């Protein structure tokens, strides 16, 4: 039966968007459905390790909205993939404790890494990108003076490792190779191994992190948020609403020791500039990028 027209506006239909976003204090309310929207509903994919969403996003555009490693996005933008970056930081941290070696190693700091074999999941890994730049700033060698041993391809199809990187034997385990002496050091992700046989390459990672902050006045950003170019072009109002929802979810979370993560294009400019410089120095980009190109496609009204 058709309801009588009483002059009230018809309820607005919401749009479902597929999303791949990790669970953090700043996204928990969003993922629990505590940030309502009259415009859209986010359908979250079940991806326990969020980095596994990055390749499907940049290669297949599998999601409407996806968390994205900053190095992966910059490679995707340089390669012409139709994804658009949003000024939303989901993960940021100092990186110095992620470069580890055996406890008995003769490596005493970045200056001892020339000619060493360093394992990293992929040369394109964002933590590796930040650490290679930090190592150079701390008196260590340029990337081409180190033997990089990789275990995976870049998330962006067609991005090749530089000639000074080599692939580990198929099926090899990075941590097992380190403990066996087949690698001199490795770069791990967010989860540091609790093993008394291992230690950071930086003698004092906290002090090295504060030295980095004193130089650059920023905390390195690992993961941000992106959307497909089609969504940004065809439904910019939904992209603006996604940004509003993520920011609303993060608002109650207390800031860290160095404040809340940057949340606008202007505030993110130093981060983007440094990442682009490091990636250029490390032979990670198929072509040069400007900061303006990085934000190409961002809908109007998002600062």
């Amino acid at each position: 039966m058709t309801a009588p027209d009483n002059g009230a506006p018809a309820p607005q239909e919401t749009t479902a968007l597929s999303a791949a976003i990790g669970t953090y204090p700043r996204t928990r309310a969003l993922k629990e459905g505590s940030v309502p929207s009259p415009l859209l509903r986010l359908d979250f994919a079940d991806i326990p390790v969020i980095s596994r969403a990055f390749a499907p996003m940049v290669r297949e555009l599998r999601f409407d909205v996806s968390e994205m490693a900053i190095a992966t996005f910059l490679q995707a933008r340089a390669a012409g993939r139709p994804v658009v970056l949003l000024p939303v930081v989901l993960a940021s941290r100092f990186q110095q404790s992620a470069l580890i070696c055996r406890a008995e190693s003769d490596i005493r700091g970045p200056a001892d890494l020339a000619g060493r074999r360093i394992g990293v999941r992929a040369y394109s890994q964002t933590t590796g990108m930040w650490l290679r730049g930090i190592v150079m700033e701390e008196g260590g060698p340029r990337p081409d003076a180190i033997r990089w041993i990789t275990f995976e391809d870049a998330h962006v199809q067609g991005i090749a490792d530089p000639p000074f990187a080599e692939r580990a034997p198929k099926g090899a385990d990075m941590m097992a190779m380190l403990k066996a002496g087949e690698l001199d050091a490795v770069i791990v992700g967010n989860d540091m191994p609790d093993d008394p046989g291992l230690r950071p390459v930086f003698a004092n990672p906290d002090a090295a992190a504060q030295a980095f902050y004193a130089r650059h006045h920023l905390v390195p950003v690992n993961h941000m948020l992106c959307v497909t170019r089609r969504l940004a072009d065809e439904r910019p109002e939904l992209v603006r609403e996604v940004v509003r929802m993520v920011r609303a979810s993060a608002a109650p979370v207390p800031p860290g020791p160095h404040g809340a993560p940057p949340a606008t294009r202007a505030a993110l400019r130093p981060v983007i500039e440094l990442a682009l410089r490091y990636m250029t120095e490390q032979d990670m980009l198929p072509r040069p990028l400007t900061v303006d190109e990085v934000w190409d496609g961002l809908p109007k009204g998002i600062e």
Side-chain angles (χ1 to χ4, degrees), residues 22-76:
T23 302
Y24 315 106
R26 296 170 63 83
T27 63
R28 185 164 288 113
L30 180 76
K31 296 195 70 175
E32 290 176 350
S34 302
V35 183
S37 169
L39 299 181
L40 63 86
R41 182 185 77 249
L42 294 172
D43 292 339
F44 294 101
D46 183 14
I47 304 177
V49 180
I50 196 58
S51 61
R52 298 301 177 193
F54 302 163
M57 180 63 178
V58 296
R59 295 186 183 198
E60 309 163 19
L61 307 177
R62 186 176 297 179
F63 312 103
D64 297 308
V65 183
S66 179
E67 185 167 339
M68 184 61 59
I70 189 171
T72 297
F73 176 84
L74 294 174
Q75 288 185 325

Side-chain angles (χ1 to χ4, degrees), residues 131-155:
L131 275 167
R132 284 189 292 268
I134 292 166
V135 162
M136 283 195 292
E137 291 180 351
E138 291 283 346
R142 291 183 55 83
D144 58 4
I146 294 172
R147 290 181 60 191
W148 296 98
I149 313 300
T150 66
F151 295 77
E152 296 180 12
D153 290 335
H155 292 130

Side-chain angles (χ1 to χ4, degrees), residues 192-255:
M192 309 304 170
D194 184 13
D195 188 330
L198 303 173
R199 62 171 173 82
V201 165
F202 288 88
N204 187 331
D206 290 340
Q210 294 312 310
F212 174 91
Y213 189 83
R215 287 194 301 271
H216 298 291
H217 307 289
L218 61 86
V219 178
V221 169
N222 280 60
H223 295 178
M224 295 182 65
L225 197 64
C226 72
V227 297
T228 64
R229 184 65 182 249
R230 180 177 179 178
L231 181 66
D233 287 347
E234 297 181 2
R235 300 295 306 274
E237 77 281 5
L238 296 185
V239 179
R240 287 189 286 269
E241 180 69 351
V242 167
V243 172
R244 182 199 68 80
M245 293 171 71
V246 179
R247 288 175 175 172
S249 177
V253 179

Side-chain angles (χ1 to χ4, degrees), residues 155-180:
H155 292 130
V156 181
Q157 198 166 19
I159 299 288
D161 287 349
F164 47 86
E166 57 192 271
R167 187 56 53 90
K170 188 174 182 179
D173 179 85
M174 187 171 73
M175 297 306 297
M177 290 180 68
L178 174 63
K179 293 179 181 180

Side-chain angles (χ1 to χ4, degrees), residues 115-135:
R116 304 288 185 144
R117 301 156 300 178
I118 301 183
V120 62
R121 179 185 57 76
Y123 189 79
S124 58
Q125 183 182 3
T126 294
T127 299
M129 175 271 290
W130 287 121
L131 275 167
R132 284 189 292 268
I134 292 166
V135 162

